[in-house]
Amino acid sequence: MKQGLKEGDSKDRIIASAQQCFSEKSVDKTTLSEVARRAGISKGTLYYYYPTKNDLVFDIAGIHMAQITEKVFAMMETGDEHPVWEDVLGILFEGLLGSKTRSRLHLYLINESLSGNPALRERLESTYMQWFQLVEDGYLRMAGGRPFPDGLARLLVAVLDGLVIQSVTCEDRLRYRQLAQVAASLVTGMGCGGKG
């Protein structure tokens, strides 16, 4: 490790450098050597924190998801009134889909897990289970005691996965507010409570 750098500083620099590289070149075309060079650290230091590019990508994706989740739950806990589904889903959609880099990271992880990387597939499956639980927790906070509908979490996460693909492959800009309105009407139409 370079003199004067603290452990957390190195990891933060690695993550920031990787995000810049992924944004400029894509995940596939970025090497760990490039990330180390941009971060101003040795390859050994980088490998200490991230033995594989998949580990780095997964960590960055996890950081992004934690930031979005924190925003959504903070919104749910503010004020006396329950927030409306449209607002919550709008924040979620814009947070997940508003960054091409974030969307590319997600697709890269899915592709790698489908291409025969069992360790990554296991981690991604675990992440999906956490997302399902987050959806259920969010629903229960907003539903006013109504039971959680079977399949709702998988449906919303599947919709998000599809929108991630569209956000990367389609030239048209996704309209997050309009998508949130439609999704909110589905959620409230299922008897999920909360305002529109």
Side-chain angles (χ1 to χ4, degrees):
M1 194 177 317
K2 295 225 177 188
Q3 193 172 9
L5 284 181
K6 294 179 184 162
E7 187 171 313
D9 294 340
S10 291
K11 196 168 184 179
D12 292 343
R13 287 173 64 181
I14 291 167
I15 289 169
S17 297
Q19 288 175 328
Q20 290 171 347
C21 289
F22 295 158
S23 179
E24 292 169 8
K25 296 178 70 174
S26 83
V27 177
D28 290 342
K29 295 178 183 171
T30 298
T31 66
L32 289 179
S33 295
E34 290 172 282
V35 173
R37 186 171 42 257
R38 181 169 279 195
I41 60 171
S42 70
K43 285 195 284 185
T45 299
L46 181 119
Y47 288 118
Y48 171 77
Y49 292 106
Y50 298 104
T52 69
K53 182 165 51 170
N54 288 343
D55 291 329
L56 177 57
V57 171
F58 207 88
D59 199 19
I60 292 170
I63 290 167
H64 285 266
M65 190 60 188
Q67 291 168 344
I68 293 164
T69 302
E70 187 177 312
K71 255 189 199 179
V72 169
F73 280 119
M75 178 187 196
M76 290 176 162
E77 293 173 354
T78 58
D80 294 329
E81 288 189 40
H82 291 291
V84 296
W85 278 105
E86 183 180 322
D87 293 339
V88 171
L89 292 170
I91 288 174
L92 182 63
F93 287 0
E94 188 164 3
L96 286 172
L97 306 168
S99 163
K100 288 255 189 215
T101 301
R102 187 176 302 122
S103 295
R104 286 184 186 126
L105 290 174
H106 186 66
L107 290 178
Y108 174 83
L109 290 170
I110 291 171
N111 184 54
E112 286 295 303
S113 72
L114 294 174
S115 297
N117 184 331
L120 187 57
R121 180 182 224 140
E122 200 171 290
R123 287 178 73 182
L124 195 57
E125 184 178 346
S126 173
T127 298
Y128 274 119
M129 297 309 286
Q130 291 171 0
W131 290 358
F132 299 152
Q133 189 61 53
L134 287 172
V135 169
E136 184 173 349
D137 291 347
Y139 168 85
L140 292 172
R141 288 179 187 210
M142 293 179 66
R146 291 186 182 95
F148 184 72
D150 287 338
L152 178 62
R154 287 187 184 271
L155 175 66
L156 288 177
V157 172
V159 166
L160 282 170
D161 277 344
L163 291 172
V164 165
I165 292 168
Q166 288 181 35
S167 74
V168 171
T169 60
C170 298
E171 290 298 318
D172 292 342
R173 190 174 185 286
L174 295 174
R175 295 183 188 106
Y176 308 116
R177 181 55 57 189
Q178 182 182 33
L179 293 168
Q181 286 173 341
V182 172
S185 69
L186 289 173
V187 171
T188 56
M190 293 178 71
C192 297
K195 296 179 186 173

